[in-house]
Amino acid sequence: MIRKLLVANRAEIARRIFRTCRALGIETVAVFAEETDPHVREADTAVGIGSFLDGAAIIEAARRSGADAIHPGYGFLSENAEFARAVTAAGLIWIGPAPDAIEAMGDKIRAKKLVSAADVPVLDGDDTFPLLIKAAAGGGGRGMRVVTEPGELRPALAAAAAEARSAFGDGTVFTEPYLPNARHVEVQVLGDRHGRIWVVGDRDCSVQRRHQKIVEEAPAPGLSSEVRAALHRHARAAAETVGYQNAGTVEFLVDGERIFFLEMNTRLQVEHPVTEAVSDLDLVAWQIAIAEGRELPAEPPAPAGHAVEVRLYAEDPAAGFAPQTGRLRAFGFEAPGVRVDSGVEAGSEVGVRYDAMLAKIISYGPDRASAIRLLADALRRGVLHGLTTNLGLLRAILADEDFVAGRVDTALLERKLAAWTGESEDHPVRKAALAAAVGSAVRTAASAGVQARIPVAWRNVPSRERVRTYRCGGTEYAVGYASRGGRIESSWLPGVSVVSVTADRVVLDDHGVRETYRVTAVDGGADVHGPSGSYDFHAVPIFQDPAANLAAGSLLASMPGLVVAVHVSEGDQVAAGDPIVVLEAMKMQQTLSASADGVVASVTAEVGRQVAAGEVLAVIDSGS
């Protein structure tokens, strides 16, 4: 029986495993590279390591702390067969599948051959475009590229291999036909050491960006009974081919009534909470039970209700999902009927070393409509300040008529991204900007010294309003307001008036509807939370910094990250589209290319150097 368990992972998955351990009476051990991570404080003991990919250091941490078992979580070493063997060789209990199963399914080329022999349908063919390039040794969208024309294939293969090598230590890639309008559906399986395999329902993971899931739900909506039964049958067959033990997932593409095996993830999946919600199972508890040798009952519980999960990422959807870094000033999404699995908290610093996911927010209801409504309300009420995230995008997805109707496929986000990140919510942002401006005005007046008796927002030219300019989400808002008759008024938003205002609370009237906003001052700007959610407003200086003027042709870092490749030198002739610099952040690589033909005038980027978003990496003289 396991008495002390080390989690060889961090952030939300470590905290989630600790939660189950506490319920089972198992002591916990955290490993960490940054001791300020929230998961470190939640463990009974913690050991510092240099890297979560250093298996020897993790096993030594287990020995030093007295742990008798290791749970790998997901990512990092969770699907590393050699690490699994090393754990058992050290006399520790490995909470995961047998190493042979990890190897068989970890190589996606080999996995397709194995399941095909068990009559599981697979995608074959590499001569018909469009094609999808995939990493043989990993998942999570790393190393994936869509190729629509033969001329794109060679550079796409090179880029995919480089990203796969960086993420998984193996640059092997393969291609398969790309089905842009198919659905991504997966089946949860559990297997014990006694030969019994459970199929624990299915979930839809079709809403994706960069081939990475951001919305998942269980059960998968709109499947025919025949397709659902076939998915479960094929998932069982895939698990049986490797004598599977533990909790894993078999993933498929569903194109109409056609089903194709994608891969089997032998580890626990990020989206396992939706299956837990509808099955009333604790999958981590069953992982531990299976590792201890317990037998699964004859049948799993029948699913009931519906669950939806969204992944909250530190990224900017309007800027190509570029990763974002910084400190979270406020963070909270707790609400009735909603579960939050988070790796961060207020005050957490988000850097570029790890995946960009901040949290998973999961709702459960008696039916799909109820679950969507609960989750949408939690995202609206949630408070988040300090980082640009995909929160607005998630809210737009949950409100979309196609999503609500269950009309989902893997290309849905790509088709609707412009609408989901457009200006449809501009009016709510403008009201929040008005609240920021007038709240800041009252705060400024309250802190005044010699001018304390002068009314808030007073001007000696009454016809002209004061103006505060903020930037929020890449858009500038120049908010006008004035003091008239002892009250703050604004003509900036027709039909919207200021009812009352203090330094931290503003009440607005929008055509007869009153709304309350909470305002917190931050570095000359303001964090605002109101009926439509949270917004960060950054003050725009009245006078532009001369240093902000950039040379024509400057190539700027699109995100904070590490320079992993520089393809040019000063004096090189380049053509539009030529790769110049490759950045890596949060396990993703991005190639920055020349925007026009020209000559490289200067290169400041150096391999191995950390750069900030907006930093000049090179200058290309186009001669114009």
Side-chain angles (χ1 to χ4, degrees):
M1 180 172 288
I2 295 170
R3 291 178 173 81
K4 195 169 190 177
L5 184 149
L6 180 148
V7 178
N9 220 294
R10 63 180 298 277
E12 55 87 17
I13 184 56
R15 300 175 84 183
R16 186 264 168 274
I17 296 168
F18 292 159
R19 186 166 67 242
T20 289
C21 287
R22 287 193 294 270
L24 297 176
I26 297 173
E27 291 185 65
T28 56
V29 182
V31 289
F32 64 89
E34 290 93 5
E35 58 184 297
T36 57
D37 279 351
H39 79 279
V40 177
R41 296 193 300 276
E42 293 194 12
D44 294 306
T45 55
V47 181
I49 56 173
S51 168
F52 288 94
L53 296 176
D54 188 342
I58 290 171
I59 292 171
E60 174 61 17
R63 185 194 65 78
R64 290 170 55 196
S65 63
D68 53 6
I70 291 181
H71 192 305
Y74 40 68
F76 295 131
L77 297 173
S78 62
E79 292 182 287
N80 186 305
E82 289 308 309
F83 178 61
R85 292 190 178 101
V87 169
T88 56
L92 301 167
I93 297 173
W94 167 249
I95 302 180
D100 288 348
I102 295 175
E103 281 184 334
M105 289 300 180
D107 182 334
K108 292 176 175 50
I109 300 173
R110 179 184 174 192
K112 290 175 71 171
K113 293 178 180 178
L114 282 172
V115 302
S116 181
D119 294 326
V120 177
V122 300
L123 272 174
D124 277 324
D126 58 4
D127 55 355
T128 303
F129 289 86
L131 290 175
L132 182 63
I133 302 172
K134 300 175 71 174
R142 275 76 175 181
M144 280 195 184
R145 297 289 190 281
V146 175
V147 181
T148 58
E149 299 177 0
E152 301 172 351
L153 185 57
R154 186 180 296 275
L157 284 169
E163 188 168 282
R165 191 176 300 108
S166 173
F168 312 116
D170 184 343
T172 305
V173 296
F174 66 98
T175 63
E176 63 187 19
Y178 177 54
L179 305 178
N181 297 316
R183 293 174 60 180
H184 188 136
V185 181
E186 55 191 35
V187 179
Q188 178 73 55
V189 296
L190 272 77
D192 63 21
R193 295 181 178 179
H194 308 279
R196 176 165 288 159
I197 289 177
W198 270 4
V199 173
V200 193
D202 47 73
R203 43 190 187 240
D204 189 286
C205 308
S206 298
V207 182
Q208 305 176 2
R209 58 92 170 100
R210 293 190 310 214
H211 311 292
Q212 290 181 299
K213 310 159 192 171
I214 57 172
V215 181
E216 300 106 351
E217 57 181 307
L223 295 179
S224 68
S225 58
E226 293 80 11
V227 167
R228 199 179 305 274
L231 285 166
H232 293 190
R233 184 174 67 252
H234 293 320
R236 181 183 297 276
E240 289 174 343
T241 62
V242 291
Y244 185 72
Q245 302 168 19
N246 207 252
T249 302
V250 187
E251 303 192 7
F252 299 90
L253 279 181
V254 177
D255 188 21
E257 298 295 302
R258 300 188 302 162
I259 298 170
F260 301 101
F261 170 85
L262 277 177
E263 61 186 5
M264 181 177 183
N265 284 291
T266 54
R267 53 167 170 79
L268 196 68
Q269 289 278 87
V270 175
E271 56 273 21
H272 75 273
V274 293
T275 295
E276 291 185 319
V278 299
S279 65
D280 199 27
L281 292 171
D282 183 329
L283 294 179
V284 172
W286 271 110
Q287 285 187 296
I288 293 171
I290 290 167
E292 291 178 328
R294 288 176 54 189
E295 186 175 0
L296 291 167
E299 296 291 336
H306 201 93
V308 184
E309 170 182 300
V310 293
R311 302 190 193 186
L312 182 67
Y313 281 99
E315 63 186 16
D316 186 353
F321 298 99
Q324 304 293 302
T325 60
R327 186 177 69 87
L328 277 169
R329 295 190 293 271
F331 183 86
F333 287 89
E334 288 68 25
V338 170
R339 164 179 167 180
V340 180
D341 285 8
S342 169
V344 297
E345 56 191 17
S348 291
E349 290 285 345
V350 178
V352 299
R353 291 186 63 182
Y354 304 112
D355 187 88
M357 189 171 72
L358 302 176
K360 305 176 306 192
I361 306 168
I362 309 103
S363 65
Y364 172 77
D367 51 50
R368 186 171 185 267
S370 299
I372 292 173
R373 183 172 63 188
L374 279 170
L375 186 53
D377 188 59
L379 296 187
R380 180 180 65 86
R381 295 180 186 275
V383 177
L384 190 157
H385 294 295
L387 278 178
T388 298
T389 70
N390 67 336
L391 178 58
L393 173 63
L394 296 175
R395 291 170 53 195
I397 293 170
L398 295 181
D400 181 77
E401 61 181 12
D402 284 329
F403 177 81
V404 171
R407 296 188 292 267
V408 294
D409 58 63
T410 56
L412 180 66
L413 186 145
E414 184 177 348
R415 290 197 304 272
K416 297 206 168 191
L417 182 61
W420 287 344
T421 58
E423 297 184 357
S424 59
E425 291 194 353
D426 193 51
H427 185 63
V429 181
R430 286 176 174 271
K431 288 189 290 185
L434 176 57
V438 297
S440 297
V442 169
R443 187 181 305 105
T444 300
S447 62
V450 296
Q451 297 178 328
R453 295 184 180 181
I454 298 177
V456 176
W458 181 85
R459 290 184 69 98
N460 58 1
V461 183
S463 61
R464 296 186 62 182
E465 294 186 332
R466 283 185 175 272
V467 174
R468 287 179 184 257
T469 303
Y470 297 110
R471 181 176 292 107
C472 179
T475 301
E476 289 193 3
Y477 299 92
V479 185
Y481 59 95
S483 176
R484 298 187 179 96
R487 291 172 49 85
I488 295 182
E489 298 181 354
S490 173
S491 61
W492 189 60
L493 282 177
V496 178
S497 60
V498 179
V499 177
S500 64
V501 54
T502 64
D504 57 7
R505 183 177 182 272
V506 176
V507 178
L508 301 180
D509 183 297
D510 185 355
H511 294 86
V513 178
R514 294 199 172 187
E515 301 173 341
T516 300
Y517 296 80
R518 297 195 302 273
V519 182
T520 304
V522 180
D523 298 330
D527 291 342
V528 179
H529 184 79
S532 297
S534 297
Y535 301 95
D536 293 5
F537 293 98
H538 304 278
V540 176
I542 298 174
F543 302 105
Q544 186 177 3
D545 184 350
N549 295 320
L550 299 173
S554 294
L555 184 72
L556 307 181
S558 55
M559 61 183 184
L562 185 72
V563 178
V564 296
V566 179
H567 293 292
V568 297
S569 301
E570 189 173 326
D572 286 355
Q573 186 79 36
V574 296
D578 284 353
I580 306 298
V581 176
V582 180
L583 295 180
E584 182 174 284
M586 298 176 176
K587 300 183 180 181
M588 300 299 294
Q589 289 190 354
Q590 186 174 68
T591 300
L592 304 180
S593 304
S595 60
D597 298 351
V599 176
V600 178
S602 64
V603 180
T604 56
E606 298 176 0
V607 173
R609 185 166 70 86
Q610 189 73 38
V611 299
E615 186 172 333
V616 177
L617 305 179
V619 176
I620 299 172
D621 184 359
S622 62
S624 57

